[in-house]
């Protein structure tokens, strides 16, 4: 038990589905069948189901956290759930079905390795299926699992499933996601969620949980391009560490080793990694997403927002940046408007130079004429920053390719950007 | 495990250190709320790791109800001394003396809710712009929706329906004058993660967590310790029981569990086998279905 726990890895996934696709039921089912629900939680939802006059225990109630959500029977905000099996720990970003949908799904998807997209077996591909798939691909989620739900309502019909699967294969070939899988399930009855279904013996693939447990995620981080954004300068001001000057940060890509020749951006100075430090002592190498402290051979002026990279593999450095942006604020994006940008540990200001097009996320068509970018819209824009950013394409590195836009007046996070 | 793949505990450790470093970088005067419970102890441990070999660049603050177990004060003071930390104590008793809050009356009286006023006053007095806490999203359904960086208005209130979106690991700590933030570095940890981490990192915790004999009584199915702060009814018989605490809060609202777990491995086995959440023993959460959400909106931890 103990050794095993220290060897588990972590899979973050997000769930998407339209209203009434049974998303909350599916999550409730995963938690329930993996025995992640405690007696007092179960009692609480039993009481609540009874109060509402429902026949069975409504597993969906497990995931509705806020009072308004329980009263209205809807999910308002992204909620995070946790469960574990002996090999892996899971973090679910549970995103709501309708209000502020895009904004919430983008938020949940930003940190996910995998997306579960629910499709109602009776309805087939609907606009929302396309929207969810597009967002998952846009946010660079490496793995998508389509769960064809409510198989119980189509008599567990294999033909229905195969038809839907081939429709989805056809549609998703337009998207960038490389790993796409399909599972026929009934979240309500638990078919193929944790336990194999006896009603769909024609299905020879894995159950959902088995898929989640075994999907290969070790390659989801970029371990090639070394990027270390400096968060803090660590100077102990203590006698025993009199000359210590370290740079704290979380590796955004690649593997750093003691003795590596590095370049510091933006100054361009070169140095050598003297040591990689942690509370538990020096280590010889470190990789994404570790938090470490780096000391260099030379005394160079480095501060928060600078980036340590390998001299022969540098990120793009530019003030003119093209990006896909998901808008999150009621106040529309302003052409020629000024915003604050947070990118890695750096903060700069920018101006929106151009709006190339808005994406119709239901049809995947581009709208180029007279567009206004409002809440939940996705658009391609060009910005110019006050100082150069050091970045990679989002498709190459999600840490160095992402940024957020902040309104200077309200301080709200108004846009999520993926650098092209 | 692949050479370049972190275990889930190491990934959580790296994430929390990242959050703590962001707080130190983005705020001028942050503070770490410290209750002496295991979650805040782990937070403090992570803070020491984040800035090593420098000292933790912010103080700890204990919102002290005055109704804590003596073992807790002893542990707190020992830890601060050993790690050369800075500790601020904000006293609920003082808020009562100054007439800012009125003590609850009756058999279930608790100072738990009064802590909010003391906390908000202390934040204002010390001009803290960010208060970090050891809350975890798995603890309670309202907490499942918390951000790492949680914005509070100038009354310290949380508006769960209007939270800032939080994407990737880009945290927006921008605020107007008078507003402040709460930050939760161990948001993604579960109770089991905390225990496994305490074991793996050999972190000291108060003796209250381990099985011991103590005079107790039962109320509404919850075992309560007999202390000077809790009134007992005539029908409540005090007997010596072999118990431990799963969470440590104010003695008036923290339930104990019958347990023989006297070391970390036994506690972990017990947590793994447990069918009741750790907050199941907290009477503060039982007041209504949305008890935690209501307290959080007002500015509770």
């Amino acid at each position: 038990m103990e050794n095993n726990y220290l060897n588990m890895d972590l899979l973050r996934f997000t769930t998407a589905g339209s209203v009434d696709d049974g998303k909350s039921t599916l999550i409730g089912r995963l938690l329930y069948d993996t025995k992640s629900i405690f007696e007092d939680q179960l009692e609480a939802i039993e009481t609540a189901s009874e109060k509402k006059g429902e026949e069975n225990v409504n597993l969906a109630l497990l995931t509705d956290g806020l009072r308004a959500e329980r009263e209205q029977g809807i999910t308002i905000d992204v909620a995070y759930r946790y469960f574990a099996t002996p090999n892996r720990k899971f973090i679910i970003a549970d995103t709501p079905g309708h209000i502020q949908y895009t904004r919430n799904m983008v938020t949940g998807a930003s940190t996910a390795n995998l997306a579960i997209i629910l499709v109602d077996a009776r309805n087939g591909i609907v606009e929302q299926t396309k929207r969810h798939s597009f967002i998952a691909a846009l946010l660079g989620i490496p793995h998508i699992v389509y769960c064809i739900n409510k198989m119980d309502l189509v008599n567990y019909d294999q033909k229905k499933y195969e038809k839907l699967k081939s429709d989805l294969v056809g549609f998703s070939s337009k998207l960038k996601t490389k790993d796409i899988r399909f599972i026929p399930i009934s979240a309500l009855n638990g078919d193929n969620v944790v336990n194999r279904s006896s009603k769909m013996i024609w299905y020879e693939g894995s159950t959902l949980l088995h898929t989640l447990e075994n999907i290969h995620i070790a390659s989801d981080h970029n371990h090639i391009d070394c990027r270390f954004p400096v968060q803090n300068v660590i100077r102990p001001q203590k006698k025993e560490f009199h000359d210590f000057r370290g740079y704290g940060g979380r590796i955004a890509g690649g593997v750093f080793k003691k003795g590596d020749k590095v370049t510091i951006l933006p100054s361009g100075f070169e140095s050598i990694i003297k040591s990689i430090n942690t509370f538990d002592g020096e280590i010889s190498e470190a990789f994404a997403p570790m938090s470490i402290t780096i000391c260099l051979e030379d005394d160079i002026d480095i501060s928060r927002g600078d980036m340590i990279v390998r001299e022969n593999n540098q990120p793009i450095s530019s003030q003119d940046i093209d990006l896909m942006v998901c808008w999150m604020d009621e106040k529309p994006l302003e052409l020629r408007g000024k915003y604050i940008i947070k990118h890695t540990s750096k903060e700069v200001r920018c101006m929106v130079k151009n709006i190339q097009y808005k994406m119709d996320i239901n049809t995947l068509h581009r709208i180029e004429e007279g567009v206004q970018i409002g809440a939940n819209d996705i658009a391609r824009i060009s910005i110019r920053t006050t100082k150069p950013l050091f970045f990679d394409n989002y498709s190459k590195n999600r840490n160095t390719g992402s940024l957020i836009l902040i309104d200077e007046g309200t301080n709200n996070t108004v846009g999520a950007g993926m650098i092209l | 495990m692949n050479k370049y793949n972190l275990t889930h505990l190491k990934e959580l450790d790296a994430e929390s250190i990242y959050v703590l470093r962001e707080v130190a970088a983005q705020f001028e005067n942050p503070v770490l709320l410290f209750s002496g419970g295991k979650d805040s102890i782990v937070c403090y441990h992570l803070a020491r790791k984040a800035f090593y070999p420098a000292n933790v660049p912010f103080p700890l603050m204990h919102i002290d109800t005055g109704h804590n177990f003596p073992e807790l004060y002893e542990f707190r003071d020992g830890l601060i001394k050993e790690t050369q930390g800075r500790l601020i104590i904000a006293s609920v008793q003082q808020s009562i003396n100054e007439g800012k809050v009125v003590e609850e009356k009756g058999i279930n009286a608790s100072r738990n809710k009064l802590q909010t006023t003391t906390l908000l006053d202390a934040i204002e007095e010390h001009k803290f712009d960010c208060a970090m806490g050891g809350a975890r999203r798995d603890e309670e359904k309202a907490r499942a929706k918390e951000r790492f960086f949680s914005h509070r208005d100038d009354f310290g209130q949380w508006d769960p329906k209007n939270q800032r979106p939080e994407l990737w690991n880009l945290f927006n700590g921008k605020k107007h004058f008078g507003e402040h933030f709460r930050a939760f570095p161990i948001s993604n940890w579960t109770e089991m993660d905390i225990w496994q981490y305490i074991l793996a990192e050999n972190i000291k915790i108060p003796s209250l967590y381990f099985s011991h004999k103590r005079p107790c009584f039962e109320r509404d199915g919850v075992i309560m310790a007999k202390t000077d702060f809790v009134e007992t009814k005539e029908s409540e018989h005090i007997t010596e029981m072999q118990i431990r605490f799963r969470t440590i809060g104010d003695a008036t609202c923290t339930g104990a569990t019958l347990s023989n777990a006297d070391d970390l491995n036994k506690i972990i086995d017990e947590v793994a086998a447990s069918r009741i959440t750790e907050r199941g023993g907290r009477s503060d959460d039982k007041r209504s279905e949305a008890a935690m959400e209501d307290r959080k909106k007002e500015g509770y931890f």
Side-chain angles (χ1 to χ4, degrees):
Chain A
M1 170 77 205
E2 175 195 336
N3 281 338
N4 204 13
Y5 201 87
L6 298 179
N7 274 317
M8 288 157 66
D9 60 4
L10 181 62
L11 174 72
R12 299 173 199 247
F13 69 93
T14 182
T15 52
S18 13
V19 187
D20 298 331
D21 271 352
K23 189 164 55 67
S24 296
T25 311
L26 177 67
I27 294 171
R29 174 60 65 186
L30 274 174
L31 299 176
Y32 185 80
D33 284 358
T34 55
K35 309 208 171 2
S36 315
I37 294 174
F38 293 100
E39 271 172 19
D40 50 332
Q41 290 174 313
L42 196 61
E43 274 170 29
I45 64 161
E46 274 169 359
T47 318
S49 304
E50 259 172 51
K51 264 193 206 164
K52 293 178 136 190
E54 292 178 14
E55 210 172 291
N56 296 318
V57 175
N58 186 349
L59 291 177
L61 291 176
L62 275 172
T63 59
D64 294 332
L66 303 173
R67 187 198 295 260
E69 296 177 339
R70 282 191 307 279
E71 282 165 2
Q72 297 166 36
I74 52 158
T75 315
I76 294 169
D77 199 36
V78 187
Y80 295 88
R81 314 281 161 204
Y82 304 83
F83 71 98
T85 62
N87 307 319
R88 200 166 256 184
K89 175 172 160 169
F90 300 91
I91 301 179
I92 314 175
D94 179 16
T95 57
H98 37 164
I99 300 176
Q100 295 284 4
Y101 189 76
T102 304
R103 162 185 154 152
N104 285 319
M105 179 165 172
V106 167
T107 303
S110 69
T111 50
N113 312 79
L114 180 146
I116 293 177
I117 299 179
L118 278 155
V119 184
D120 189 321
R122 295 168 303 174
N123 305 337
I125 300 181
V126 294
E127 276 190 359
Q128 297 208 37
T129 317
K130 295 183 188 172
R131 195 195 300 182
H132 301 153
S133 307
F134 173 72
I135 294 172
L138 180 73
L139 271 290
I141 299 182
H143 317 277
I144 294 184
V145 178
Y146 286 102
C147 282
I148 319 298
N149 192 23
K150 306 203 180 177
M151 287 301 292
D152 52 319
L153 299 182
V154 296
N155 297 319
Y156 300 102
D157 182 2
Q158 182 179 6
K159 278 190 197 132
K160 271 252 156 93
Y161 167 73
E162 295 294 349
K163 169 76 173 54
L164 200 44
K165 181 176 161 184
S166 92
D167 290 351
L168 284 164
V169 169
F171 160 74
S172 56
S173 63
K174 287 181 244 165
L175 302 171
K176 279 185 192 151
T177 315
K178 288 195 187 89
D179 181 18
I180 295 180
R181 298 161 194 233
F182 307 89
I183 306 173
I185 65 164
S186 162
L188 190 68
N189 299 333
D191 293 290
N192 289 337
V193 178
V194 171
N195 302 311
R196 287 202 73 83
S197 170
S198 57
K199 313 228 170 65
M200 290 180 275
I201 40 171
W202 46 265
Y203 172 71
E204 286 168 349
S206 308
T207 61
L208 175 60
L209 184 68
H210 189 263
T211 306
L212 294 175
E213 275 187 298
N214 291 288
I215 213 155
H216 177 72
I217 52 170
S219 314
D220 292 355
H221 281 286
N222 180 326
H223 286 140
I224 296 160
D225 310 298
C226 297
R227 308 285 185 257
F228 185 77
V230 174
Q231 269 186 290
N232 318 74
V233 180
I234 293 173
R235 303 216 53 184
Q237 323 277 10
K238 289 180 188 171
K239 263 191 206 144
E240 67 262 48
F241 295 102
H242 189 69
D243 293 323
F244 189 97
R245 185 182 174 91
Y247 306 102
R250 191 173 188 193
I251 299 175
V255 181
F256 285 87
K257 294 189 174 77
K258 184 176 173 170
D260 277 353
K261 274 181 144 181
V262 291
T263 300
I264 290 87
L265 300 173
S267 67
F269 286 129
E270 291 176 2
S271 187
I272 290 166
I273 294 181
K274 184 163 84 179
S275 60
I276 300 173
N277 302 276
T278 73
F279 185 76
D280 306 306
E282 277 191 32
I283 51 178
S284 57
E285 62 175 359
F287 51 91
M290 287 169 72
S291 285
I292 51 162
T293 301
I294 288 180
C295 293
L296 299 176
E297 291 285 1
D298 306 278
D299 242 339
I300 308 174
D301 183 26
I302 299 176
S303 49
R304 176 175 166 86
D306 293 358
M307 193 183 277
I308 299 177
V309 301
R310 297 292 299 273
E311 61 174 338
N312 54 359
N313 177 341
Q314 299 201 9
I316 304 163
S317 173
S318 176
Q319 284 175 265
D320 291 294
I321 300 165
D322 276 9
L323 50 119
M324 295 298 290
V325 68
C326 171
W327 202 248
M328 309 202 139
D329 204 46
E330 296 306 321
K331 201 164 99 189
L333 179 142
E334 266 178 66
L335 184 60
R336 310 206 68 77
K338 296 189 176 73
Y339 296 94
I340 299 165
I341 281 185
K342 275 193 185 283
H343 169 258
T344 66
S345 55
K346 206 173 176 71
E347 186 179 310
V348 297
R349 294 174 70 219
C350 80
M351 188 185 67
V352 178
K353 280 196 315 184
N354 188 21
I355 301 174
Q356 274 99 324
Y357 59 82
K358 175 161 114 176
M359 199 81 189
D360 181 329
I361 49 176
N362 295 321
T363 60
L364 304 190
H365 289 143
R366 296 170 181 185
I367 308 164
E368 292 178 11
E369 299 302 317
V371 289
Q372 199 190 32
I373 310 303
N376 298 304
D377 282 343
I378 289 169
R380 177 172 173 156
I381 62 170
S382 306
I383 55 171
R384 182 168 174 87
T385 55
T386 48
K387 286 178 192 158
L389 294 184
F390 322 115
F391 60 87
D392 297 287
N393 300 329
Y394 185 78
S395 56
K396 186 170 165 188
N397 189 321
R398 290 168 87 185
N399 297 317
T400 53
S402 55
L403 56 82
I404 56 171
L405 296 163
I406 297 169
D407 186 291
E408 291 185 314
T410 63
N411 289 331
N412 280 337
T413 303
V414 291
M418 286 138 284
I419 302 174
L420 294 165
Chain B
M1 183 138 304
N2 181 307
K3 191 182 172 196
Y4 294 130
N5 196 15
L6 287 183
T7 66
H8 93 282
L9 269 185
K10 292 218 161 96
E11 189 170 337
L12 291 175
D13 169 283
E15 177 180 88
S16 300
I17 288 173
Y18 172 81
V19 177
L20 285 153
R21 285 172 167 174
E22 277 306 289
V23 170
Q26 291 198 33
F27 297 97
E28 276 171 24
N29 195 16
V31 64
L32 176 62
L33 299 176
F34 184 81
S35 68
K38 63 184 189 314
D39 299 329
S40 61
I41 292 168
V42 165
C43 268
Y44 181 47
H45 180 77
L46 288 160
R48 290 175 59 216
K49 292 178 91 166
F51 303 100
Y52 176 84
N55 288 338
V56 176
F58 38 76
L60 309 188
M61 181 160 76
H62 185 201
I63 308 298
D64 183 13
T65 61
H67 286 177
N68 286 299
F69 295 102
E71 291 91 331
L72 186 103
Y73 295 116
E74 200 180 299
F75 175 85
R76 178 194 74 187
D77 296 340
L79 180 69
I80 295 300
K81 198 171 163 205
E82 190 193 320
T83 57
Q84 300 170 345
R86 279 181 291 153
L87 176 73
I88 294 166
I89 298 166
S91 152
V92 174
Q93 185 62 52
Q94 200 178 326
S95 301
I96 295 169
N97 295 349
E98 289 168 3
K100 289 176 172 160
V101 290
V102 179
E103 187 132 35
E104 292 183 358
K105 296 212 168 63
I107 200 86
N108 285 317
S110 166
R111 289 182 170 182
N112 190 56
K113 201 165 176 252
L114 310 186
Q115 294 178 93
T116 302
T117 304
T118 309
L119 170 65
L120 294 178
D121 286 351
I123 285 173
E124 204 170 311
E125 182 194 333
H126 296 278
K127 302 201 164 35
F128 292 128
D129 52 359
C130 178
M132 288 169 276
R136 308 189 321 264
R137 288 171 178 157
D138 80 318
E139 277 181 90
E140 208 278 335
K141 54 203 168 198
R143 285 192 168 157
K145 313 225 157 175
E146 261 295 7
R147 306 292 193 255
F148 281 102
F149 272 32
S150 181
H151 178 252
R152 301 301 158 107
D153 66 15
D154 39 4
F155 296 99
Q157 296 182 105
W158 183 56
D159 179 4
K161 280 190 236 169
N162 193 23
Q163 300 193 75
R164 287 182 187 172
E166 198 164 79
L167 299 113
W168 298 289
N169 42 30
L170 296 168
F171 301 138
N172 175 0
K174 298 252 163 222
K175 61 189 182 323
H176 293 290
F177 184 76
E179 297 175 342
H180 63 270
F181 269 78
R182 299 290 169 82
F184 303 105
I186 57 166
S187 287
N188 276 332
W189 298 54
T190 61
E191 184 188 13
M192 184 55 112
D193 295 334
I194 295 286
W195 283 117
Q196 293 282 0
Y197 190 74
I198 288 170
L199 178 68
E201 301 265 311
N202 202 11
I203 300 170
K204 282 187 204 156
I205 52 170
S207 58
L208 295 158
Y209 281 114
F210 299 103
S211 174
H212 58 282
K213 282 198 167 69
R214 180 180 292 271
C216 294
F217 63 96
E218 209 173 304
R219 176 178 296 171
D220 301 332
V222 177
I223 298 169
M224 305 282 297
K226 165 74 186 128
T227 61
D228 296 341
F229 324 120
V230 188
E231 271 183 62
T232 47
K233 298 178 204 162
E234 248 177 66
S235 58
E236 291 170 335
H237 300 292
I238 293 165
T239 47
E240 192 168 77
M241 299 186 195
Q242 187 77 31
I243 57 115
R244 65 175 208 89
F245 294 94
R246 247 177 111 180
T247 69
I248 296 183
D250 185 293
T252 58
C253 63
T254 305
T257 46
L258 291 175
S259 169
N260 292 315
D262 54 6
D263 67 31
L264 283 171
N265 281 306
K266 287 181 195 159
I267 290 176
I268 285 167
D269 288 344
E270 196 182 278
V271 171
S274 171
R275 299 303 306 141
I276 303 271
T277 63
E278 55 184 329
R279 296 199 78 90
R282 301 271 299 228
S283 58
D284 45 338
D285 289 340
K286 289 196 170 166
R287 293 190 169 192
S288 91
E289 207 187 345
M292 172 67 93
E293 183 185 340
D294 292 343
R295 277 178 293 151
K296 277 183 69 75
K297 281 181 184 164
E298 289 164 9
Y300 189 72
F301 308 116

